């Protein structure tokens, strides 16, 4: 209880820091954007606890502590909010100068994960760096670094965006290197999100429509080739198409997710009353958190989550459009990139939970259990708030 009180105090202090930034009144940054993110974080905290109690009580490595995942998720949220408060202090011009170096650091961490004895392997995937007290997942941090790098590259190369050789090809080469490293882990989901986000930034930044269409077609062919070349991915595709044909095998996760949604009906079975989280639905507190929300809070709960994500993405694009009007290309592209990233990843996770997309290991932004993901999400939201704050200062005639 003491940990929860301390974390709440930290969160309140950080929110106070946001409000006090530059002696700013609350109206000096987007309240809707901030509160939609905070509500998603809070709801995620509650649902992670609800979804993980049974697993935590039964597992030996947790010491049979029902609050095992809650305390760690609470610590991740507190660290994420602290990192967000620090990120908010950094001017966008500093982010732009640091963008290439942050991206190089991210790529180095991706390579470091693949080294034997350095990267930590779980269930056949080597995606984590075992640091003292934490497991760092570099692919989550690379998502933020890739947005900053792609935005900086596009802002600098705006006049060359219609040229394949000078505009598109260098960025394509860089993304292929990142994709190769991610597929070696393997982390196909992160690769898809980063590729779509970077492509979206290039398109918003003025990429030739024909090159965009060609690149999109190339990515579709490439993704299809990756699926067809991997029996594991093929099994996931077939399990997604008809989960009931192998409900105890390839379709196990999806079939139980669909059962959870069906049990929830309109208003759910009640908070904490989910049956599917009782060892039926794997990864209930991470990849399939929305299924537990659907079962316990029903259609209304799921619709609330969808509305919050939709509002957050819309506000991100609104901040980006305002930056465009103020002739701030880098800030505008970063805002659009963050909106694309959160929108794409939320769409994929929600689609997977509902059986609209093949099963893929992607968390629900700002909600699912996972320290690295929460940290990256909070920093991204802080950067978005910083862009909005700077926009408002410029509209008031103040210098940055």
């Amino acid at each position: 209880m003491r940990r929860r009180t301390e974390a709440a105090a930290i969160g309140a202090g950080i929110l106070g820091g946001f409000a006090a930034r530059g002696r700013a009144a609350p109206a000096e940054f987007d309240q809707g954007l901030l509160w939609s993110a905070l509500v998603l974080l809070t709801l995620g905290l509650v649902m992670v606890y609800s979804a993980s109690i049974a697993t935590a009580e039964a597992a030996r490595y947790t010491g049979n502590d029902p609050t095992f995942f809650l305390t760690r998720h609470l610590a991740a949220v507190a660290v994420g909010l602290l990192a967000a408060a620090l990120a908010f202090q950094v001017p966008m011009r500093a982010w732009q100068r640091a963008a290439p170096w942050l991206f190089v650091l991210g790529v180095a961490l991706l390579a470091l994960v693949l080294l034997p004895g350095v990267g930590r392997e779980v269930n056949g995937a080597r995606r984590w760096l075992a640091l003292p007290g934490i497991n760092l997942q570099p692919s989550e941090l690379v998502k933020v670094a890739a947005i900053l790098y792609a935005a900086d590259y596009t802002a600098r190369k705006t006049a060359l965006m219609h040229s394949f050789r000078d505009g598109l090809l260098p960025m394509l080469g860089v993304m292929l290197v990142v994709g190769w490293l991610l597929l070696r882990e393997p982390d196909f989901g992160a690769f898809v999100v980063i590729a779509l986000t970077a492509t979206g930034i290039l398109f918003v930044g003025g990429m030739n429509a024909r090159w965009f269409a060609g690149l999109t077609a190339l990515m579709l062919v490439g993704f299809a080739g990756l699926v067809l070349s991997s029996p594991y991915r093929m099994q996931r595709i077939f399990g997604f198409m008809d989960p009931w044909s192998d409900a105890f095998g390839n379709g196990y996760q999806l079939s139980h997710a669909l059962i959870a949604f069906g049990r929830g009906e309109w208003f759910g079975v009640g908070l904490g009353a989910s049956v599917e989280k009782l060892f039926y639905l794997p990864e209930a507190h991470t990849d399939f958190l929305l299924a537990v929300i659907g079962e316990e809070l029903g259609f209304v709960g799921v619709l609330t989550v969808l509305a919050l994500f939709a509002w957050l993405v819309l506000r991100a694009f609104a901040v980006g459009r305002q930056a465009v009007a103020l002739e701030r290309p880098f800030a505008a592209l970063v805002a659009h990139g963050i909106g694309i990233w959160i929108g794409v990843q939320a769409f994929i996770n929600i689609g997977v939970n509902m059986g609209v997309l093949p099963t893929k290991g992607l968390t629900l932004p700002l909600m699912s259990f996972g320290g690295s993901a929460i940290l990256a999400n909070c920093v991204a939201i802080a950067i978005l708030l910083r862009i909005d704050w700077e926009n408002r200062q410029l509209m008031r005639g103040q210098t940055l």
Side-chain angles (χ1 to χ4, degrees):
M1 194 69 181
R2 182 181 176 184
R3 290 180 182 176
R4 301 182 199 178
T5 304
E6 290 175 352
I10 292 172
I14 289 170
L15 291 179
F18 277 139
R21 177 68 176 94
R23 299 187 181 90
E28 290 204 15
F29 55 84
D30 195 316
Q31 294 290 298
L33 173 62
L34 174 63
W35 285 107
S36 60
L38 288 175
V39 170
L40 286 169
L41 277 172
T42 304
L43 181 58
L45 188 65
V46 173
M47 294 312 303
V48 163
Y49 182 40
S50 177
S52 66
I53 292 176
T55 302
E57 284 184 331
R60 290 184 179 180
Y61 70 89
T62 66
N64 306 113
D65 178 10
T67 65
F68 179 85
F69 293 105
L70 171 65
T71 53
R72 278 152 181 78
H73 191 63
L74 193 60
V77 171
V79 171
L81 290 174
L82 179 60
L86 296 175
F88 184 78
Q89 312 300 317
V90 180
M92 291 309 299
R93 60 179 180 274
W95 283 115
Q96 185 169 11
R97 286 196 299 268
W101 303 108
L102 291 173
F103 186 71
V104 169
L105 176 61
V107 173
L109 291 175
L110 288 180
L112 198 61
V113 164
L114 300 175
L115 295 179
V118 178
R120 180 170 177 261
E121 186 172 333
V122 178
N123 296 328
R126 189 184 295 272
R127 302 176 184 173
W128 297 269
L129 292 173
L131 302 178
I134 61 169
N135 288 317
L136 180 69
Q137 189 172 357
S139 60
E140 293 295 337
L141 305 182
V142 168
K143 292 173 184 176
V144 179
I147 289 172
L148 293 170
Y149 176 75
D152 174 55
Y153 176 88
T154 306
R156 288 187 289 105
K157 303 272 190 174
T158 300
L160 302 175
M161 279 295 105
H162 290 277
S163 169
F164 177 80
R165 186 190 67 181
D166 299 324
L168 178 60
L169 189 58
M171 190 66 180
L172 183 60
V174 169
M175 288 298 111
L176 286 175
V177 172
V178 173
W180 181 78
L181 290 171
L182 288 170
L183 292 175
R184 288 289 304 276
E185 295 185 2
D187 195 346
F188 184 67
F191 174 46
V192 170
V193 170
I194 290 173
L196 291 176
T197 303
T199 304
I201 290 173
L202 290 172
F203 179 70
V204 172
M207 180 197 293
N208 185 293
R210 288 179 299 173
W211 293 127
F212 177 75
L215 183 59
T216 302
L218 181 64
M219 285 195 300
L220 291 175
V221 172
F223 292 153
L226 289 171
V227 170
L228 294 174
S229 65
S230 170
Y232 170 70
R233 296 190 187 105
M234 283 287 289
Q235 290 174 0
R236 285 199 165 190
I237 292 294
F238 285 119
F240 146 72
M241 293 173 66
D242 186 7
W244 307 108
S245 64
D246 188 13
F248 294 99
N250 294 328
Y252 185 79
Q253 286 179 305
L254 179 54
S255 61
H256 280 281
L258 295 176
I259 290 170
F261 283 114
R263 291 192 74 247
E265 297 184 351
W266 285 97
F267 299 103
V269 297
L271 186 62
S274 167
V275 171
E276 287 300 316
K277 69 184 182 185
L278 303 178
F279 311 108
Y280 294 104
L281 184 61
E283 308 298 335
H285 57 298
T286 56
D287 300 348
F288 283 87
L289 185 67
L290 188 72
V292 178
I293 294 174
E295 186 177 4
E296 296 190 348
L297 305 182
F299 175 76
V300 172
V302 172
L303 188 62
T304 300
V305 171
L306 292 175
L308 286 168
F309 275 114
W311 180 251
L312 194 153
V313 171
L314 287 172
R315 294 313 307 157
F317 277 93
V319 170
R321 287 195 302 272
Q322 187 63 63
V324 170
L326 293 169
E327 299 182 352
R328 306 179 64 213
F330 173 73
L333 291 168
V334 171
H336 283 110
I338 293 172
I340 293 170
W341 165 33
I342 293 176
V344 166
Q345 185 160 330
F347 175 79
I348 292 175
N349 179 274
I350 293 167
V352 165
N353 274 253
M354 294 183 172
V356 178
L357 296 172
T359 303
K360 192 72 227 102
L362 280 174
T363 57
L364 191 60
L366 295 166
M367 297 189 72
S368 293
F369 179 82
S372 300
I374 290 294
L375 174 62
N377 295 158
C378 288
V379 169
I381 295 298
I383 293 174
L384 198 54
L385 286 168
R386 175 72 195 197
I387 295 170
D388 178 67
W389 184 84
E390 289 187 1
N391 287 346
R392 295 174 188 238
Q393 300 308 302
L394 290 172
M395 286 188 292
R396 289 182 172 89
Q398 300 180 21
T399 57
L400 299 176

